[in-house]
Amino acid sequence: MWDYATWVLYMSHFFMTPLIAAALWWWAPARFRRFAVVVVTTSGLAMLTYFVYPAVPPWLASETHLIPPVTRTIGLITNHLPVIDARTLYESGTAWSNAIAAMPSLHEGLAVVASIALWPLANRPVRRLLVLYPLAMGFALVYSGEHYVIEIVAGVAYAFAANALAGRLLGWRSSRVGRTTVVPAPVRAVEPYDQAA
């Protein structure tokens, strides 16, 4: 049961961000721009870190005997599900993916970004779920052998840093736009032509 629950959480990463983006664009367009900037910033910072600090995820450390055995459960569960045949995806569909991108966890980072984006729009019961989702995602990532706890913590930090940076960038942009906007001068009333003059 835990394996299937972690699989659902892990896979939610691949559709949660586009679904939230579409919903915000449609129902809360004022919040869409900030969400898009935070997603791109979080992803960009993570990609830069993968390049500068390549880390070994738990499943790979286990395969190379650096740590005790760890089972990478996501692929196993995917191949056991009767409706999903992921073999073609794993054989050819991941040519451009980075299977060992570990530090930070972008799965965790974007789960936090989703919660931050939806927080102002949610009532109290939904906010509880928004807190629970990143916590459950973190558990799923560690349980499935995809990430260490420190990578989860880094993903959370990247999400909050990207959110703060996006706030500053958008604030700076709106102030620049406000300063450069040409405000037309008020139109003065034209005095009627005095024929007596």
Side-chain angles (χ1 to χ4, degrees), residues 84-100:
I84 300 172
D85 182 4
R87 284 174 294 184
T88 52
L89 174 66
Y90 290 130
E91 289 168 8
S92 58
T94 58
W96 295 97
S97 70
N98 184 352
I100 59 169

Side-chain angles (χ1 to χ4, degrees), residues 29-99:
R31 297 188 180 276
F32 170 77
R33 177 177 288 163
R34 182 180 183 119
F35 177 71
V37 171
V38 175
V39 167
V40 169
T41 304
T42 305
S43 302
L45 290 173
M47 298 300 172
L48 180 63
T49 308
Y50 300 150
F51 178 75
V52 173
Y53 180 70
V56 178
W59 62 268
L60 183 56
S62 173
E63 286 181 7
T64 53
H65 308 292
L66 295 172
I67 62 172
V70 171
T71 303
R72 190 181 191 191
T73 61
I74 300 302
L76 296 174
I77 296 299
T78 302
N79 290 329
H80 281 128
L81 292 174
V83 224
I84 300 172
D85 182 4
R87 284 174 294 184
T88 52
L89 174 66
Y90 290 130
E91 289 168 8
S92 58
T94 58
W96 295 97
S97 70
N98 184 352

Side-chain angles (χ1 to χ4, degrees), residues 9 108 111 132-143 147 149 152:
L9 283 162
E108 182 66 19
L132 185 61
Y133 178 59
L135 292 173
M137 178 66 81
F139 170 81
L141 295 169
V142 173
Y143 178 84
H147 287 284
V149 172
I152 305 301

